[in-house]
Amino acid sequence: MAHSSPGDPHGRRIARRRAATLAEAARVAHALMVLLKRADLKSDACDDLLTLLSRQESAELQRSHGRIEPRKRFKAGFSQPLLQKLPRSLLFIDEGGKSNPEPRLPGPRYFSVGAVAIGVRDAQKYVRAADAVKMRFFGKKDITFHEPGIRFHEGPYYFSGSTERQAEFDEALKALIEDTPFLVFGVGVRKNGFEQDFVDTGIDPYLPTDAYALAITMLMERYLDYLSTSRAKRIGRVTFESQGPLEDATHQLEFARLFIEGSQWVPDSAFRAWLETGCRFTPKQGSDPMELADIVSREIYEWLVTDCLGTPLYWDVVSQKIYCRGNGQMGKSGLKVFPDSDIRDRIEVHRALYCA
């Protein structure tokens, strides 16, 4: 059977049939394992086969849930976006956890990328509002809201151990998040499943094998969905939280790759049409919308740790700002968890809250 081409709407149906075939093979292998054990024979090879079948079935189930909208929906109608003089949508991106493999650590491992899309004027209003909160609680503006100290009340957020003052600060910051107009985008990578079911198997040649590159690709696909379908046409300007010259250069390389190669679901021409070609970097310092991205990335990370069942500190207000188009299915939601085949029901319950 020929491989489906990138963006082929029938690809997910092929994947679904493969998943069903693999599930049947797993049932047969399980029956064989039972018979081997009854005969007091070693079943190590059968155990390995069952593990392999399970991983590949999970991977195919993930692919079967892919987007089926045509790639041409991203068509902008112009080839040089800078000549259009469209207003800018500012996207600030930060991360939570570590993107590099951590095989020696026991238990599940996670990585998140969180982003906020905000208009230029709303970004300026945020700075003024954030400065006011800082003056109220710290008596100065030259302080940066930073996770995870915020949620654990560490450092300047300890307030000499006053639980009343801590609660007041939490409410003030929650109100700041709620009152600031912005959209949330984010990707949560469940590193164990990603590495075992996709990196190790190489089952999907279109997926990046690095967790950070994977998260950026999926996040930018969703940001492109927003930019290309919004009635208020804007060009996206992307800013990453700076981590150092080498790290910034690596992130810029992955960002630039989208303009040249595109992704499985979004053609390269769409990235060039809807985004400024170069990305920017800024360290966390003072009042800046990057503070919001920091909080969002941590919220997504904390939610991942609970297997998408928990409600982190600001999760209710952050969830209401997640981008959603229509029912949020097939790439039309700003939040993506990967892989998600075993917990998709939980994610859909959460999606129903902000896509209502």
Side-chain angles (χ1 to χ4, degrees):
M1 181 179 295
H3 293 291
S4 58
S5 60
D8 179 5
H10 298 291
R12 70 188 188 99
R13 296 179 177 87
I14 294 172
R16 187 177 298 148
R17 288 198 297 270
R18 282 175 55 85
T21 303
L22 288 164
E24 179 64 26
R27 286 191 288 270
V28 174
H30 184 267
L32 175 60
M33 183 181 68
V34 172
L35 292 173
L36 290 173
K37 288 183 176 179
R38 288 178 181 175
D40 293 328
L41 295 175
K42 290 184 178 181
S43 61
D44 294 349
C46 201
D47 290 338
D48 293 341
L49 177 61
L50 275 170
T51 299
L52 176 62
L53 290 171
S54 176
R55 289 180 179 177
Q56 292 191 345
E57 180 191 359
S58 176
E60 292 295 342
L61 284 172
Q62 182 71 38
R63 296 181 67 192
S64 73
H65 202 66
R67 186 182 304 166
I68 59 173
E69 289 186 285
R71 287 155 61 96
K72 66 181 180 181
R73 75 189 182 283
F74 296 105
K75 189 173 180 63
F78 48 81
S79 58
Q80 175 48 283
L82 298 182
L83 294 177
Q84 307 306 308
K85 298 182 179 180
L86 295 175
R88 294 302 187 262
S89 167
L90 309 180
L91 189 75
F92 294 87
I93 303 175
D94 201 359
E95 62 186 72
K98 296 181 179 180
S99 61
N100 58 294
E102 302 171 283
R104 295 185 179 181
L105 292 182
R109 292 166 280 115
Y110 306 95
F111 173 69
S112 66
V113 166
V116 298
I118 189 170
V120 175
R121 290 184 179 179
D122 289 329
Q124 295 169 346
K125 291 178 181 178
Y126 166 79
V127 170
R128 292 193 292 270
D131 282 346
V133 172
K134 292 171 183 179
M135 287 298 298
R136 173 185 169 189
F137 286 92
F138 308 104
K140 58 182 180 179
K141 299 178 183 178
D142 59 340
I143 189 170
T144 303
F145 295 142
H146 190 46
E147 293 283 17
I150 290 174
R151 68 191 59 238
F152 297 131
H153 300 123
E154 297 173 341
Y157 316 104
Y158 182 61
F159 298 110
S160 300
S162 171
T163 55
E164 181 178 355
R165 193 64 169 166
Q166 291 170 359
E168 289 178 0
F169 173 76
D170 291 344
E171 286 301 314
L173 189 53
K174 182 177 181 180
L176 177 62
I177 297 170
E178 191 169 19
D179 294 342
T180 303
F182 63 88
L183 285 175
V184 166
F185 295 85
V187 176
V189 181
R190 302 166 75 206
K191 292 168 63 177
N192 298 66
F194 170 56
E195 293 163 6
Q196 293 173 6
D197 299 340
F198 292 89
V199 177
D200 293 346
T201 63
I203 195 169
D204 192 335
Y206 300 109
L207 281 181
T209 56
D210 173 76
Y212 188 92
L214 173 81
I216 291 302
T217 297
M218 291 184 167
L219 184 141
M220 298 311 301
E221 286 176 339
R222 282 148 182 79
Y223 185 47
L224 258 290
D225 187 88
Y226 160 65
L227 291 174
S228 63
T229 61
S230 176
R231 290 184 179 181
K233 299 301 182 185
R234 296 181 176 88
I235 297 298
R237 174 179 293 170
V238 176
T239 302
F240 292 86
E241 192 264 329
S242 178
Q243 298 178 338
L246 178 59
E247 293 83 355
D248 293 353
T250 301
H251 295 170
Q252 177 135 305
L253 177 63
E254 295 301 337
F255 182 73
R257 199 186 307 277
L258 296 172
F259 290 78
I260 300 171
E261 301 176 358
S263 70
Q264 182 178 4
W265 308 112
V266 181
D268 52 287
S269 59
F271 290 103
R272 295 193 297 269
W274 292 106
L275 295 173
E276 288 187 352
T277 307
C279 58
R280 305 179 181 206
F281 298 89
T282 182
K284 291 189 180 78
Q285 55 180 2
S287 297
D288 187 274
M290 189 61 73
E291 294 173 309
L292 294 172
D294 180 42
I295 293 171
V296 166
S297 65
R298 188 69 195 193
E299 288 288 302
I300 295 173
Y301 182 87
E302 295 291 337
W303 186 56
L304 276 178
V305 169
T306 67
D307 276 339
C308 304
L309 288 172
T311 53
L313 184 59
Y314 302 115
W315 192 238
D316 290 342
V317 62
V318 166
S319 293
Q320 294 304 315
K321 293 179 177 288
I322 297 173
Y323 166 68
C324 183
R325 181 166 66 90
N327 61 9
Q329 298 281 350
M330 310 303 179
K332 294 177 287 188
S333 163
L335 179 59
K336 173 65 178 177
V337 175
F338 187 87
D340 67 352
S341 59
D342 58 323
I343 57 170
R344 189 168 295 139
D345 55 337
R346 305 173 191 176
I347 295 170
E348 290 179 349
V349 167
H350 174 253
R351 184 187 294 129
L353 297 176
Y354 65 84
C355 282

